[in-house]
Amino acid sequence: AQSVTQPDIHITVSEGASLELRCNYSYGATPYLFWYVQSPGQGLQLLLKYFSGDTLVQGIKGFEAEFKRSQSSFNLRKPSVHWSDAAEYFCAVGEGGADGLTFGKGTHLIIQP
Amino acid sequence: EAGVAQSPRYKIIEKRQSVAFWCNPISGHATLYWYQQILGQGPKLLIQFQNNGVVDDSQLPKDRFSAERLKGVDSTLKIQPAKLEDSAVYLCASSSWDSLTDTQYFGPGTRLTVL
């Protein structure tokens, strides 16, 4: 069975500092990997996705993520965070873009002024 | 392009009552999903429809939850009777199923509180 682990429940980062959110997955075949962001009272918004090809994927809002098969990881990064990045971030894995997703428990990002 | 629509946005009921949620997917999207998101957790897939057929309902508590997607467009999710542990946000998502590289688009969710 597939699973996703996000080891950090909360992360606090100063505005302007760099960010890395960790995601580890368990999946038998080639995974389809996603990062979503959820702001309070909002639905989930897709930041980026990885299906195949270049292991460094670029997303919206200046985010990027790197797929490392040897480490079963798909960490999310941003070089400089803004106060508006404060939100809940979810990593997810699926068998395909249109299949049901398995989500991690999320990482709550807090931005310090 | 209009997004995924859900209603109501909020619902408060007492345990053992019934409740229904409605979802209208993005126009033309053949695949529709219902997820349950309990506070502090990630969303969990309850059921997936392809047009008006069920693809996966392995995690749907069928003794109290039911869902339908008549005519392959909008969908309703029902809970009868509700329990305290059903308090959660119910998210609807849709995708076009054009290829394996498609993306799921989520609605704003319905927040259910069971007292």
Side-chain angles (χ1 to χ4, degrees):
Chain A
Q2 55 199 27
S3 65
V4 175
T5 301
Q6 294 181 247
D8 304 306
I9 298 174
H10 301 276
I11 281 189
T12 300
V13 178
S14 297
E15 190 169 14
S18 63
L19 170 71
E20 182 169 30
L21 302 182
R22 296 183 291 164
C23 172
N24 293 97
Y25 67 90
S26 173
Y27 189 71
T30 299
Y32 291 75
L33 295 160
F34 306 81
W35 274 99
Y36 282 86
V37 62
Q38 186 176 41
S39 298
Q42 306 282 325
L44 290 158
Q45 181 183 23
L46 180 69
L47 287 176
L48 47 79
K49 58 188 178 184
Y50 171 78
F51 290 146
S52 64
D54 192 347
T55 57
L56 184 63
V57 293
Q58 303 296 321
I60 63 171
K61 303 185 180 186
F63 286 93
E64 66 178 26
E66 186 171 13
F67 171 59
K68 293 185 177 180
R69 184 186 298 277
S70 61
Q71 298 176 22
S72 297
S73 69
F74 188 56
N75 294 348
L76 182 72
R77 300 193 293 251
K78 187 171 185 177
S80 177
V81 298
H82 185 262
W83 64 266
S84 60
D85 293 325
E88 194 80 20
Y89 290 80
F90 293 95
C91 181
V93 65
E95 295 182 16
D99 280 351
L101 299 177
T102 298
F103 284 84
K105 292 188 175 182
T107 296
H108 184 63
L109 177 62
I110 300 166
I111 307 296
Q112 279 184 337
Chain B
E1 172 178 86
V4 176
Q6 291 188 247
S7 68
R9 291 294 309 276
Y10 305 91
K11 189 74 176 178
I12 300 174
I13 62 172
E14 300 200 345
K15 61 183 179 183
R16 291 188 290 272
Q17 286 187 323
S18 301
V19 65
F21 313 127
W22 174 83
C23 172
N24 189 263
I26 293 172
S27 177
H29 278 192
T31 308
L32 185 147
Y33 318 77
W34 284 102
Y35 288 84
Q36 179 193 56
Q37 185 177 17
I38 293 173
L39 186 65
Q41 298 183 21
K44 181 183 81 171
L45 180 70
L46 292 177
I47 189 167
Q48 177 182 348
F49 291 95
Q50 170 74 6
N51 296 310
N52 60 351
V54 175
V55 174
D56 181 359
D57 64 355
S58 58
Q59 299 189 92
L60 185 73
K62 300 180 185 63
D63 57 333
R64 297 183 300 105
F65 286 65
S66 64
E68 59 182 11
R69 192 184 183 197
L70 301 176
K71 301 181 182 178
V73 182
D74 56 354
S75 174
T76 56
L77 176 69
K78 298 178 182 178
I79 307 175
Q80 180 179 11
K83 293 185 175 182
L84 296 177
E85 58 261 37
D86 298 331
S87 293
V89 176
Y90 291 85
L91 296 165
C92 180
S94 69
S95 69
S96 67
W97 196 262
D98 280 346
S99 73
L100 289 177
T101 60
D102 198 16
T103 298
Q104 294 181 34
Y105 297 90
F106 284 81
T110 296
R111 182 177 297 277
L112 173 67
T113 302
V114 182
L115 303 176

